[in-house]
Amino acid sequence: MKSAVSKISQISPDQSVIIILGSDFIPEIIRLSKTEKEYAHKRLLAKEDYIYINSYYKATYLVRIKEEDDSYKIREELRRTAYKLRKLIRSNNHSELVITSDQAYKGAVEDFTEGLLLSFYSFDKYKTRQEKEEQKNFPSRLLLHGDIDDSEIKWLTDLSDAVYFARDLINEPVNHLNASAFAEEIRKSGLNAGLHVEIFNKGKIEALKMGGLLAVNRGSVDPPAFCILEYNPENRLNKKPIVLVGKGVVYDTGGLNIKTGDYMSGMKGDMAGAAIVAGALFTVAKTGLPLHVVGLIPATDNRPGGNAYTQGDIITMHNKLTVEVGNTDAEGRLILADAISYASRYSPELIIDIATLTGSAAMTFGNQAIAVMGNADRKYFTLLEECGNEVYERTAELPFWEEYGELIKSDIADLKNVGGKEAGAITAGKFLESFTDFPLIHMDIAGTISLKKDDFYRLKDGSGSGLRLLSTFLKKVAANHLGKK
């Protein structure tokens, strides 16, 4: 359970406090003794990340902002310091904790609080009661003090709620979260946020002739699902919607091209793109962004059983293009392609798909950047890069030249679902581009979403990477009114 966040106007002498300092000056507001001040000042001059003072009746944590050339790096350093403090905070078993600042930049309290909230997360659903209780030593209330807008607190809490929701979905094992159960979780969350939700069953998917989704599902005993989430407020600023598409492969064995070694490890998280889309729609609706946004989520597992699709099969997709299957482990682009072609019925301003799509993206950028590419207007890529820096879910753009499309041409069908070893992340993106005439941005999160160890507050396993980026992007699209009527 996540800590509740609220604002206070005054700090009591006996309250435990985290204070973010923009200078080496120690303000009177935190009420330290002369000896404690001398100790704190000495540690500040030593340039330590944080100083902890354990008084008899309270705890005081001092965090000095480091001087950096780039403001977004200062913000990220503050979030990372929050992560470093989490174990100490937990050991002190606070019921509540005040967070304030002195001579720091506006928004410092919110940035630190965000890092702390995201660091507090744990997936303990299947732990024993005793172990689970040990995880609950974090403060139940975080009290923010200072010049903080109520709207920023709401954004912070709703967005961190969405990250928790997405992380829970990504970490859930497939024996508890098949495609139908995944769709039901999305339905419940969407309705709770005020979204219009529609779930297509296998019969409807067959009627829509979504050949990619149906082919990938053929090896499974569980049916597929296709989820539609829509937020269309009366005060919307965009004439045409932005459509988000998320890959929802709840478990990927590779199909008949089965994954070997430890490559299947972590494949319960191959639906992370879908979880991020659901979380972004949740944030948009809960915060009331004045945008028309649609989320499309095709969901299935990819198994080698039953009548599993095979290498060499020819599939007819939702938009009637034919695809030669070159590898059954390139399944994500098949289900995304059906969803992207379905998106065309909305005549969207922009389509953004997000997926754990290729090992190529992970090998190229590691866990440091989300691979992006596409044919959309430059203003969207520029804004996406700006938002990526702001929340430190950075993007790195790959070329999207038409020559890469030549690599996925088939001799016996319109397209192949793989283009060879070279430029694998790009040819996957070019494959998706073939299924729409509307502007497209493709985001490959394969390297950033499933981490083998904590990357500070981006925690191991299901980090939720991309959700804060996508939500902040939509927030700024609304603020900048990019999609003018």
Side-chain angles (χ1 to χ4, degrees):
M1 184 173 181
K2 187 168 71 67
S3 302
V5 181
S6 58
K7 188 167 69 171
I8 59 171
S9 58
Q10 190 171 352
I11 303 173
S12 300
D14 59 345
Q15 286 180 302
S16 292
V17 178
I18 296 172
I19 182 161
I20 302 156
L21 301 174
S23 73
D24 293 333
F25 174 75
I26 300 173
E28 293 297 325
I29 192 172
I30 59 172
R31 298 180 176 91
L32 297 178
S33 68
K34 181 180 178 181
T35 302
E36 289 171 337
K37 281 185 179 179
E38 289 173 352
Y39 169 79
H41 189 64
K42 187 182 296 184
R43 300 276 66 80
L44 285 170
L45 294 177
K47 307 297 183 185
E48 295 185 5
D49 286 342
Y50 60 85
I51 299 114
Y52 170 58
I53 298 172
N54 185 13
S55 302
Y56 176 72
Y57 55 91
K58 67 174 184 177
T60 304
Y61 309 81
L62 296 91
V63 177
R64 176 71 161 91
I65 295 175
K66 294 182 178 179
E67 295 179 3
E68 299 279 358
D69 293 333
D70 296 305
S71 61
Y72 73 86
K73 289 185 178 179
I74 297 173
R75 299 184 65 182
E76 177 63 7
E77 188 63 38
L78 205 49
R79 297 186 197 104
R80 292 182 177 191
T81 302
Y83 169 84
K84 294 173 186 177
L85 273 169
R86 81 197 193 290
K87 287 185 179 179
L88 179 58
I89 290 170
R90 178 178 163 186
S91 69
N92 285 326
N93 200 20
H94 304 289
S95 61
E96 62 180 32
L97 189 58
V98 176
I99 305 174
T100 188
S101 66
D102 184 76
Q103 299 186 47
Y105 66 87
K106 181 172 172 54
V109 169
E110 296 95 307
D111 286 339
F112 185 91
T113 304
E114 180 181 43
L116 204 56
L117 286 171
L118 298 181
S119 299
F120 285 171
Y121 173 85
S122 67
F123 186 71
D124 58 8
K125 181 177 178 181
Y126 300 106
K127 285 186 176 291
T128 66
R129 182 174 297 178
Q130 181 180 356
E131 290 172 327
K132 197 167 184 176
E133 287 303 316
E134 290 173 359
Q135 296 289 331
K136 293 185 175 179
N137 291 338
F138 292 122
S140 58
R141 300 175 65 209
L142 296 178
L143 307 174
L144 309 191
H145 173 265
D147 182 18
I148 303 164
D149 296 334
D150 290 337
S151 61
E152 288 304 310
I153 293 180
K154 180 168 176 54
W155 175 262
L156 171 66
T157 54
D158 289 338
L159 183 55
S160 56
D161 281 346
V163 173
Y164 270 53
F165 167 69
R167 286 177 174 178
D168 280 348
L169 290 176
I170 295 166
N171 287 320
E172 191 74 49
V174 69
N175 66 322
H176 290 272
L177 196 78
N178 63 11
S180 298
F182 183 41
E184 185 56 31
E185 289 299 316
I186 289 171
R187 182 200 299 274
K188 288 190 293 186
S189 172
L191 293 176
N192 178 59
L195 297 168
H196 175 74
V197 183
E198 193 170 5
I199 309 292
F200 293 165
N201 61 18
K202 185 175 181 179
K204 178 68 172 179
I205 293 167
E206 288 173 334
L208 290 168
K209 298 181 179 179
M210 291 185 170
L213 178 55
L214 291 167
V216 175
N217 180 252
R218 271 169 44 188
S220 176
V221 297
D222 297 320
F226 189 84
C227 312
I228 302 173
L229 307 174
E230 186 168 9
Y231 183 67
N232 190 15
E234 291 184 2
N235 64 337
R236 62 189 176 275
L237 297 174
N238 50 338
K239 184 177 180 180
K240 298 179 178 181
I242 294 174
V243 178
L244 310 180
V245 181
K247 174 185 171 183
V249 177
V250 293
Y251 196 86
D252 181 21
T253 68
L256 289 177
N257 291 110
I258 198 161
K259 295 178 185 289
T260 57
D262 65 351
Y263 288 105
M264 215 182 294
S265 174
M267 283 298 106
K268 66 180 182 180
D270 209 26
M271 35 57 69
I276 286 166
V277 165
L281 265 292
F282 175 94
T283 306
V284 167
K286 291 290 281 186
T287 57
L289 289 186
L291 286 180
H292 183 189
V293 185
V294 176
L296 302 178
I297 296 171
T300 180
D301 52 344
N302 182 28
R303 304 255 189 170
N307 190 31
Y309 79 124
T310 72
Q311 203 166 334
D313 280 358
I314 304 295
I315 299 168
T316 301
M317 307 292 286
H318 175 61
N319 69 344
K320 297 184 173 57
L321 282 179
T322 56
V323 175
E324 177 189 1
V325 178
N327 192 315
T328 63
D329 196 20
E331 84 298 332
R333 65 201 70 183
L334 293 174
I335 72 171
L336 287 171
D338 277 341
I340 287 170
S341 60
Y342 185 87
S344 297
R345 66 183 56 202
Y346 294 95
S347 298
E349 168 194 335
L350 175 67
I351 300 172
I352 301 176
D353 80 86
I354 186 162
T356 50
L357 207 61
T358 66
S360 175
M363 291 298 291
T364 302
F365 300 120
N367 67 351
Q368 295 302 312
I370 296 170
V372 300
M373 64 202 84
N375 57 24
D377 192 287
R378 293 308 311 167
K379 65 185 179 183
Y380 295 113
F381 285 97
T382 300
L383 185 61
L384 202 60
E385 181 180 14
E386 175 189 322
C387 295
N389 288 339
E390 182 176 318
V391 301
Y392 221 72
E393 293 180 350
R394 293 170 295 177
T395 63
E397 188 174 356
L398 291 170
F400 211 56
W401 303 320
E402 61 185 23
E403 286 84 355
Y404 288 112
E406 297 296 316
L407 299 176
I408 54 171
K409 287 188 175 178
S410 168
D411 293 334
I412 59 174
D414 296 319
L415 298 168
K416 297 182 293 185
N417 75 327
V418 288
K421 293 182 179 179
E422 295 81 12
I426 301 172
T427 55
K430 294 302 287 185
F431 179 85
L432 297 175
E433 183 189 35
S434 303
F435 292 86
T436 184
D437 294 324
F438 294 92
L440 174 72
I441 293 177
H442 167 53
M443 301 173 62
D444 193 330
I445 56 171
T448 62
I449 196 69
S450 184
L451 307 178
K452 291 182 171 58
K453 62 179 182 178
D454 291 355
D455 180 25
F456 296 96
Y457 60 90
R458 280 175 285 272
L459 305 181
K460 69 176 183 176
D461 299 326
S463 68
S465 172
L467 201 164
R468 293 164 57 243
L469 165 59
L470 206 51
S471 299
T472 303
F473 172 82
L474 293 170
K475 182 182 181 182
K476 292 205 171 188
V477 166
N480 298 338
H481 198 178
L482 262 62
K484 294 182 174 64
K485 288 186 178 181

